[in-house]
Structures are given as C-alpha cells and as structure tokens.
Amino acid sequence: MTEARGSAGPNGATHARHAPGTPCWVSLMVHGLAATQEFYGALFGWEFRPGPQQLGPYVRALLDGREVAGIGQLPPDRHLPIAWTPYLASYDVDLTADTVRLCGGTVGVGPLDAGEAGRMAICSDPSGAVFGLWQPTAHLGTAITGLPGTPAWNELVTFESVNVAKFYASVFAYEEEPVVSGDFDYVTLNVDGRPVAGIHGVGNALPRDRGPHWMTYFEVADTDAALAEVVDLGGHVLRPAHDSAHGRVATVADPEGARFSLIQGPR
C-alpha cells in the first residue's frame, strides 16, 4: 500500500454498476461461520443477513444497512487457505473466464449463477493468487465505501509485478502505472484513469506458508485501537501499525488465519 492510491469514494459514497476489472466485492470462506461473524461484527460493526447458498451457507455483511462483504462456510472436508478474496467486475463472466484460461490462469469454480444476485467464477492467476469474477444482476457488489468497516483497497502481494501485471492487463484491459524506483516493485492498475488495485512484488519476503495472494485493506477510524480490538477478539498482529503516505496501516489475521490490512486515512 506504500505507493497505492486508494479507490474508495468520499465518506459514505454509494456505487452503481462497477466498470469491468474494478474490485466490486470481497468474500471470505471459513470453517466457523458463526464465530467469524462475531469477530468481524465486533471489529467493524457489521450486521449480517443470509445471501446466496449455491456454494453452501453464506451471509452478507452490512454496515448501516448496506452490503460491504460476504462470508461463507467451507465444507468440513475442504482444507483450503482461509483468505479474503476480491471479486473483479465483469459484464460477461463466461467470456472473462475464457480469457483467464487463454492468458495462463485457472478457473477453479464456475462460471455459475448465484441465485438472482449475479453470475460468478473463482479463478487464480499464473502465480496462484486467487480472485473472483462477478457479473451482477440484482447484487451490484459493495454498496458503500469511505467509512470505517468498508473495503478501501485491494492489492496483490506476489513475487514480482511485471509478468503478473501483464496477465491482469490482458484479461481486464487495465492501464498499468508502474512505480519508478530501484528498490520498490509496484504497479497500480487503473480503469478509465482511476486507480482501482495494486500489485506489489516483494520477492523473497513473500510468506512461505502463503504464496502470492490478494490483500484487502479495510478502513478504520483508529488503526492502533483496531489492533488492540483484533487481539482482544482472538486475532493476531502480523505487521504492527506504521505510518505511510496514505495513512496508518497494519496487517492482521483473524482467528482462522485470514490475513487483511487496516488503514486509517491521513488526518
């Protein structure tokens, strides 16, 4: 996030249909759905209501009555990495999924209909990082940004940015904006001249137990206070709070190990 420019709107901004390639939703699959709701409900003030059940029990998280994220339950016999997954908007998920395959990625789930909400697929890029595709009908995606408890930014943490950025640009026609720095490997992905996501190449600093992965940043009112709350709720601090050009940032994990970042915007 050091050089990223957040795509969140002003306080309480609501969003219509997202342009293709824009992160439009984040979702988490866990084993303990009830306990996970308690954790995020206490941390972000989320409330929950049932969502599409095509892949099993699933709830949507709401803030002030507007949808911000989803949490689903993994089958007991599925031992998959517990991770927040961004969904990238598409006008035609089937066509985009075919393009993912043609460009060297993998389609692991779908495309399939999620009830009346829309059509989805779950994919991975050539480095193995998992992301979703979302073609909306009734459910446009995240309905509010710019407030504590809402997604603020999505960033791919991977070995190096150049080759994987070519994959995403080929699939979604992003405009790439690399950082010109000898010791910092970062590419911002733009849609219509607006930054929507980032790719951060960290080389050997990539966690051995995690591999390339997408990281979701959630906005908070006070990063240090949120860190204390994470620990009190049974989560873990992976990278302590530090100041950046875009605010005070920390990386944490929930009780099941899902990693995410917290960001308090500049004051």
Side-chain angles (χ1 to χ4, degrees), residues 20 34 43 59 77 88 115 125 137 156 159 257:
L43 181 62
V59 296
D77 58 343
L88 308 178
D125 66 29
T137 48
L156 175 61
F159 293 107

Side-chain angles (χ1 to χ4, degrees), residues 13-266:
T14 56
H15 299 275
R17 187 176 297 269
H18 295 78
T22 305
C24 62
W25 188 244
V26 289
S27 192
L28 174 65
M29 299 296 290
V30 298
H31 293 291
L33 184 56
T36 300
Q37 289 179 72
E38 290 179 7
F39 174 85
Y40 287 100
L43 181 62
F44 292 139
W46 290 350
E47 297 177 334
F48 300 90
R49 70 180 176 204
Q53 309 290 306
Q54 275 71 18
L55 298 178
Y58 189 84
V59 296
R60 289 180 180 154
L62 286 78
L63 188 69
D64 295 333
R66 288 175 282 186
E67 297 170 339
V68 294
I71 303 175
Q73 184 166 321
L74 287 166
D77 58 343
R78 297 296 297 275
H79 299 287
L80 300 173
I82 307 297
W84 280 101
T85 301
Y87 281 72
L88 308 178
S90 170
Y91 289 159
D92 186 335
V93 159
D94 295 78
L95 178 60
T96 305
D98 286 342
T99 306
V100 166
R101 294 188 188 97
L102 288 171
C103 293
T106 302
V107 179
V109 176
L112 55 84
D113 291 325
E116 301 298 319
R119 191 161 174 81
M120 60 163 287
I122 299 175
C123 310
S124 57
D125 66 29
S127 74
V130 176
F131 63 95
L133 304 175
W134 183 251
Q135 176 185 337
T137 48
H139 176 61
L140 297 180
T142 301
I144 181 173
T145 58
L147 292 176
T150 62
W153 185 250
N154 287 279
E155 183 171 283
L156 175 61
V157 184
T158 189
F159 293 107
E160 55 83 32
S161 68
V162 174
N163 289 315
V164 74
K166 291 178 182 177
F167 164 81
Y168 286 98
S170 296
V171 174
F172 296 105
Y174 291 124
E175 305 143 13
E176 300 175 52
E177 185 180 342
V179 171
V180 180
S181 172
D183 59 355
F184 189 72
D185 180 10
Y186 200 97
V187 173
T188 300
L189 302 176
N190 296 328
V191 172
D192 297 330
R194 181 175 65 91
V196 298
I199 299 176
H200 188 186
V202 298
N204 292 331
L206 194 71
R208 292 181 180 272
D209 62 338
R210 190 64 185 85
H213 60 282
W214 279 90
M215 174 75 72
T216 297
Y217 288 73
F218 291 98
E219 187 157 335
V220 293
D222 185 320
T223 299
D224 296 271
L227 281 184
E229 185 77 359
V230 165
V231 174
D232 287 344
L233 294 168
H236 307 279
V237 177
L238 303 178
R239 188 179 183 196
H242 60 281
D243 293 318
S244 77
H246 305 281
R248 191 157 175 80
V249 182
T251 302
V252 299
D254 69 18
E256 283 206 28
R259 301 169 186 241
F260 59 99
S261 288
L262 307 170
I263 181 165
Q264 169 191 343

